[in-house]
Amino acid sequence: EKCIGCNVCFEASPSNWKINEEDGKADLIDGKETAKGVFVKDISILEVEENKLAEDNCPVGIIHIDGDWKSVLKLYKNITN
């Protein structure tokens, strides 16, 4: 797992991220695991800016926003890269 538990994602978007009490690392709230260690969640266009901030500031680069900016976007977190 690459997450180092720096809390950048949680601070940027607490409605989408939580800190796991067991390991101190970030979890994507209601994320679906699509592959081992890859979690996906649909977010609204209103949540893009705060999650883009999390993506841009993640020190290990494991948060990725993908999709058409004019529609609902998908937020990816790959904790195994």
Side-chain angles (χ1 to χ4, degrees), residues 20-57:
N20 186 308
E21 291 182 15
E22 291 180 26
D23 63 12
K25 296 181 180 184
D27 289 331
L28 181 59
I29 297 171
D30 296 328
K32 294 183 206 170
E33 191 167 17
T34 59
K36 183 174 168 114
V38 177
F39 294 85
V40 178
K41 178 180 180 178
D42 290 332
I43 60 172
S44 75
I45 197 72
L46 300 174
E47 297 172 294
V48 170
E49 186 175 351
E50 62 190 35
N51 284 287
K52 187 72 176 141
L53 184 65
E55 176 186 42
D56 292 344
N57 290 296

Side-chain angles (χ1 to χ4, degrees), residues 59-75:
V60 290
I62 57 174
I63 299 171
H64 305 284
I65 297 176
D66 188 31
D68 181 350
W69 290 99
K70 295 177 183 173
S71 65
V72 177
L73 302 173
K74 291 189 182 242
L75 177 68

Side-chain angles (χ1 to χ4, degrees), residues 5-13 19 53-59 63:
C6 70
N7 297 335
V8 166
C9 54
F10 173 74
E11 290 173 12
S13 183
I19 301 304
L53 184 65
E55 176 186 42
D56 292 344
N57 290 296
C58 177
I63 299 171

